[in-house]
Each structure stands twice: as structure tokens, then as C-alpha cells.
Amino acid sequence: IYYTKRDESDVGDLPNGSKFPPFEEEITAITLSGPIIKDKLFFFVGYEEFEKIAPYTFGPAGSGALNESESATAADFERIAQIAEDVYGFNPGGFQNLSFPESAEEYVVKLDWFLNDHHRLELNYAEKEEVNFNNIGINKFSSVVYTKPPLTERMSLTYYGDLSDDLRVKARYTSYEFTEDAESAGGLFPEVAIDVGSDTIFLGGEKFRGANFISVVNDSYSLKFDYSLDSHIVTFGAEYQEGRVQNQFLARYNGEVQFDSIDDFATGNWASLRFQVPS
């Protein structure tokens, strides 16, 4: 059993003398192994969990955040949020004092079966599920932040055999699956950019995540023979692999709209408008 925890109290002060923003990381891991049948069948299982709350170091001008906007104040953010709610019926989310919890879980299972002194089977299975946050930064409402939740599965079955004193064989089947459906908290609401002084404030669905999905499936087979000839080894065999990939990506599927001011945002007077739709 393994456990570790780290937070801002384990980090030194920043160069300007201020305290490091609050954060927390925890890792828990457990493994167990041993025999199921004496001298014949053995098992190994493992589990690991990772949890993290990342520090949010951004805020409006005058907020005291580590990274402040140049000119946009909390009042500007609040006015934009009110317009988004009243005029467009959209909740843009928060803009300061936020937290984005990330996590990862991984499972591993292994079985070793010694059929006899000359033949052995090995089974491996692993699965990992993650949640990662991206696009966190200054002058952004939390609706623009998007998650990448990759899910990975691996499985292999391997046979090792001594067919004679001189001939050994290894046969393996392996499968691999990966999926990731990235999604912005703002969904299919367009990404909105509003100029406020020297700043540009963003809200809505992130413009590259309206249609962003990937799936990879691979299956492979291998058969290998090793034949001993006194001081030489001859190796021969075959491998076969097939795979399927789906990679869906369409920038600005949800749209991108830019406004030159908060007043223009209130009246719907956009400066530029971009959309891409499937043909």
C-alpha cells in the first residue's frame, strides 16, 4: 500500500514573497500478488488513484490574483455574465477563485499459469480512466474550459512453450482500445470574445471542442519460433495487425463570435462571426 499527499504547504514562497496558491495532490496505490494454486497459478492485481486540485492563479484587475487582467475589472466580468444570462440565456460560469479537480484511475490484473515444466500462459489486462482540464487561463470564464477524458484498455494473452530441447515458441494476442470525447463546459454555445480595454474576455463553448472525438482500436497477433543450432539461433514467425481509427475534429462547429465592446455584446452587434458545418 502506497500513499502520498502534497499541497501548498510543501511549496516555498513565490519570488515576490507571496504564498503559493492553494492546491492538493493525492496518490493512492495498492498491489496484491501471490499463488492461487501452489507452483501452478499465480496472480497480481494493482490499483492506483490520482487526484489533483490545480491552483487557479488568474483574476480580474485589482483582485490580488497572481495573474491579473490588465484592464478588465470584476465589474466588467459581472456585467458580461449578466448580459449573457439576460440576453442570450447562457450561464458563462465563474471567473475567479475556481478549482478544477483532475483525476486518474488505473487497474492492472495479471495471471501466470504454469501448465507444466514446458508450457506457460500469461494474461495481462490494464484499464486507465482520466479526467484532465485544459484551456485554463486569464480573462476566461469557466465555460470555455474543456475536459479531455481519455479511456485506455489493454489486454494480452501470451503462450510460451518448449516444443523440444531446441525449439521454443511464443504466441501472443494483444488488443488496445482508446477513446477520448473532449467537451467544453459551454457545450455548443459559440465561443464569444469581447474586447474590454487591452483585454479580451472569453466565454461559451471552446471553439475547437464542439466536435472533437477520437477512437482507436487495434488487434495484433504474433507467432514466433526460436530454433537452436549449436552456436546459432534461427528465428522465424509471422505478425498480423488490424486497426480502426475514428478522428472527428471540426473547428468552430459551435461557432466563434467577436465583439468590440461590452455594449456591442449587449446589443448583439458582432464584429466577426465564423462557423464551420459538415458538408
Side-chain angles (χ1 to χ4, degrees), residues 43 64 77 123 140-141 196 226 239 254 269:
F43 78 96
F77 279 86
L123 174 66
K140 295 177 180 179
F141 283 89
V196 180
D226 287 326
E239 289 186 354
N254 55 316
N269 181 28

Side-chain angles (χ1 to χ4, degrees), residues 91 95 100 114 122 130 249 261:
N91 181 359
F95 58 89
F100 299 95
F114 290 82
E122 181 182 279
E130 303 172 76
F249 177 78
S261 67

Side-chain angles (χ1 to χ4, degrees), residues 252-274:
R252 299 176 182 85
Y253 176 70
N254 55 316
E256 177 188 16
V257 192
Q258 295 182 327
F259 295 90
D260 289 337
S261 67
I262 299 178
D263 290 337
D264 285 347
F265 179 53
T267 59
N269 181 28
W270 46 266
S272 67
L273 175 67
R274 297 181 69 184

Side-chain angles (χ1 to χ4, degrees), residues 148 150-151 178-182 212-216 245-249:
K148 297 188 77 172
L151 175 62
F178 174 88
T179 58
E180 183 179 86
D181 190 4
N212 184 201
F213 174 80
I214 185 169
S215 171
V216 180
V245 177
Q246 178 186 353
N247 189 355
Q248 177 190 32
F249 177 78

